[in-house]
Structures are given as structure tokens and as C-alpha cells.
Amino acid sequence: MITLNDRGARAGAVLRRLSRSTSMTLLCVVLAGYVALGVASSGEFFQGPSVRTFLQYLATPILIGLAQMAALCVGQLNLAVGALGGFTACLTGVLMADDGVPAPIAVAAGVLTATLVGLATGVFIVATRINGFIVTLGTMTILLGAQYRLVGTRTVDGYSPTLRDLGRAAPLNLPLVFLTALAAAALLAAFMYRTTAGRRLLAAGGNPLAARLSGISTDRQIVLAHTLSGLLVGIAAVTATASLPGVNRSVGGDWLLPSFAAPITGGVALSGGSVAVFGTVLAAFVMRLIDAARAQFSLDPSWVNFLIGLVVLGTVVGGRIHQTHLEKKGKAQGRTPPAPVGPGPTADAALPNAGGAR
């Protein structure tokens, strides 16, 4: 029978683990950074229009971070996140503006295209056994060319007013695109943590050999991870199209670094086998705070990229040092204790008795 003391002890243990987690650290950084920006702007950052703008442009960083996390969970890298997002956004805009396709059909076509590209990428990696880094690098180059072919040097801005209205909609100062990103994060967390398919993804990323011995097809998990990544990129492209005044060949050009920064800073391992949905969302919030600080203080954009890159490198190095420390600690605990010094049993006495009782 579980007593109140047992429940209290368990709750205390959970709180202690949470207080030492990456998510709690990021949450403190987010709160401190938001308050600091609000004070620096004399309270303007806390007002409704500023809150709406901040959250509206937070949706895309969250989604591209989750898209990269889906690939990282099986130990893969998706360098085509930005190129795929830009191509999908331009495709959606061109379908509406140039071809007169209704917004729901154009949006569905864009998301479906991004998902199919992710599926094709995963199938190609599995079929050819080429490293995913190389495959997604080639996919990125192809998609950049296709994006330029679609829009050239122009900006497509004559698409559906309905989509624009949805992009600007903000019930209770919470933009609809931001709520869409949070809903996608919640569904992804439920899929990863609560479904058999999600647990198989994590098993295949954490220990591929053990997963295969358990009957889990690692090839299928790689295909599923890239398909899921493509789906999330497609949703990110829709939120970007709805929020931006127009789409052109520059859309998605600055997505690659934040897509890695959010999950890595949020606590996702590059080697695979782990996800951190809440941490990724908080890390995307931090990236958005850095961008807001750049606008607030008129900083050079290159310093923002420098800072984000420094954060990513620092996180990776810190994680590696921590992992090395844990490995050394585990080896030290599992080491055979040294033989006692001084008189003791001889070597012959320590051997097993092979001749029966004496």
C-alpha cells in the first residue's frame, strides 16, 4: 500500500530531477530574458501588439526545431530543412497566386509535397546506404534550384486573403499559427512517448543492433523519421506563408542553423535515441528572444548567428564532457577492487578445489 510519505518522496524526487534538467534551465533563461527585454523596452514588450508579433514569428522556429529533432532521434541529420521549407512555401504561394488554386487545396498540396520529399529522402538513404548527411545535402541543393525555378527573383504576394487572415488571427493575443505549432508539438510528444511506433523510433536510434535483434526494422524507422520531418517542415512552411507579406527565394535560407540549435540546446543527443519536445520548444523561445534583442538594440545580424552558433557548440561540447564524465564514473564503480596488502590466502588456496574434499 502506497502511503502519503511514499507519494511525497516520489514527488520530491521528480521535482529534484526536474530542477536539474535542461528544460528547467531553459525555462529560467526564457523567463529572465523576457523580463529583461520588457524592462529594456520600458514595458512595450509586454503589450498586446508586441506579444502577438513575438509569438507569431515563434511558430516557425518551433516547427523546424521539431522537424530536425525527428531526424535526430534516429541518429540522422536533415540538412534540407530550410530548402524544403522555402520550396514548399513558394509552391503554396505560386499555386494560389499564379494558378488560382483555393487556399485549402494549395496548403494541402504543399504539406503533402513536403511529406513526400521526406519519404523519398528516407527511402533513398535506406536503399543506397549512403550517409544521410550526403543525401540531405544533395536534396537541399536540388530544392534550392527548384525554389529559384518557381519564383525567380520576384516576390509572390498575391495569394489568398483567407490565409493571410489566419496568419494574423490572434484570439486572446495568442496567434493562431503559434497555437498550431504548440498543437504539433503536443501531438509529436504524444506520438513519441505514448505510441509503439514512437518507442520503436527511439529504440532504433538509441541502439540499432539491439533494435534489430528485437525485431524492429531500423530501415523503416529511418524512413518514418524523415517522413515525419518532412511533414513538420510542411507545416512550418504553411505558417511562414501565412505570416509573411510574401514569399520569395530567400524564404527558408536562414532556417538551417536554428533547426539544429533548438533540439540540440533543448537536450537532444546527436547520436540518436532521445527526444526533448518541451526542451526544443523552450530553446526555440530562446532563439526568438535573441532575435528580438537584436531588433530591440539594433544589433548586427551577424552577431546573432555568431551567438547561436556559439550556443550550439557550447551545448555539444558540454554534453560530450558530461557523457565522458559519466563513462569514467561508471568504469570506476565497476572496477575490481585491488587485492589486499599483507598476509592472506596464497594463490593455490584461491584456486577451486578440483580433487574433492581434503
Side-chain angles (χ1 to χ4, degrees):
M1 182 177 179
I2 299 176
T3 64
L4 292 177
N5 290 334
D6 293 335
R7 293 179 180 178
R10 291 182 180 179
V14 170
L15 290 176
R16 284 193 297 271
R17 286 197 301 268
L18 182 61
S19 65
R20 294 192 295 265
S21 66
T22 302
S23 297
M24 179 57 66
T25 302
L26 289 172
L27 182 59
C28 294
V29 171
V30 165
L31 294 176
Y34 195 86
V35 171
L37 282 178
V39 172
S41 63
S42 301
E44 183 180 355
F45 200 67
F46 298 139
Q47 297 178 3
S50 297
V51 173
R52 285 197 302 271
T53 303
F54 180 85
L55 295 179
Q56 181 179 6
Y57 292 104
L58 176 60
T60 300
I62 289 175
L63 289 167
I64 61 176
L66 295 176
Q68 194 65 253
M69 186 191 74
L72 288 174
C73 76
V74 292
Q76 294 277 310
L77 303 175
N78 189 357
L79 299 183
V81 165
L84 179 57
F87 170 75
T88 304
C90 290
L91 175 64
T92 305
V94 166
L95 287 175
M96 291 184 290
D98 295 353
D99 301 327
V101 177
I105 298 178
V107 167
V111 174
L112 179 60
T113 299
T115 306
L116 291 177
V117 170
L119 172 63
T121 301
V123 170
F124 191 83
I125 291 172
V126 169
T128 61
R129 301 298 174 182
I130 299 176
N131 189 283
F133 179 91
I134 303 299
V135 174
T136 56
L137 180 62
T139 305
M140 177 184 70
T141 306
I142 294 171
L143 290 172
L144 289 175
Q147 183 180 0
Y148 182 77
R149 179 68 177 174
L150 273 176
V151 297
T153 58
R154 66 189 177 115
T155 296
V156 179
D157 56 2
Y159 45 83
S160 171
T162 303
L163 187 62
R164 292 181 183 275
D165 292 338
L166 290 176
R168 291 191 295 263
L172 301 178
N173 284 328
L174 294 176
L176 190 59
V177 291
F178 173 69
L179 296 177
T180 301
L182 291 185
L187 291 175
L188 182 63
F191 173 77
M192 288 293 185
Y193 297 131
R194 300 295 182 182
T195 66
T196 302
R199 289 192 288 269
R200 286 176 178 172
L201 274 176
L202 297 178
N207 194 328
L209 178 59
R212 286 194 296 269
L213 294 176
S214 301
I216 298 174
S217 172
T218 55
D219 290 346
R220 291 180 182 176
Q221 307 316 312
I222 291 175
V223 173
L224 176 59
H226 280 281
T227 304
L228 187 59
S229 180
L231 172 62
L232 291 167
V233 171
I235 299 174
V238 171
T239 62
T241 306
S243 303
L244 295 172
V247 292
N248 52 40
R249 63 176 182 172
S250 68
V251 176
D254 57 349
W255 288 12
L256 185 58
L257 178 59
S259 75
F260 279 104
I264 292 174
T265 308
V268 178
L270 288 173
S271 57
S274 66
V275 291
V277 176
F278 185 50
T280 300
V281 172
L282 290 175
F285 210 118
V286 173
M287 300 300 119
R288 182 73 183 95
L289 282 173
I290 294 174
D291 191 57
R294 177 197 63 79
Q296 176 72 28
F297 300 108
S298 301
L299 301 176
D300 189 341
S302 60
W303 282 104
V304 176
N305 293 333
F306 172 78
L307 182 59
I308 293 176
L310 197 63
V311 169
V312 173
L313 288 176
T315 304
V316 173
V317 172
R320 182 58 183 167
I321 293 175
H322 179 65
Q323 182 65 27
T324 304
H325 174 71
L326 290 179
E327 290 175 357
K328 290 181 179 179
K329 184 178 180 181
K331 290 180 180 179
Q333 291 177 349
R335 188 183 299 130
T336 304
V341 179
T346 64
D348 292 337
L351 292 175
N353 184 3
R358 293 184 180 178

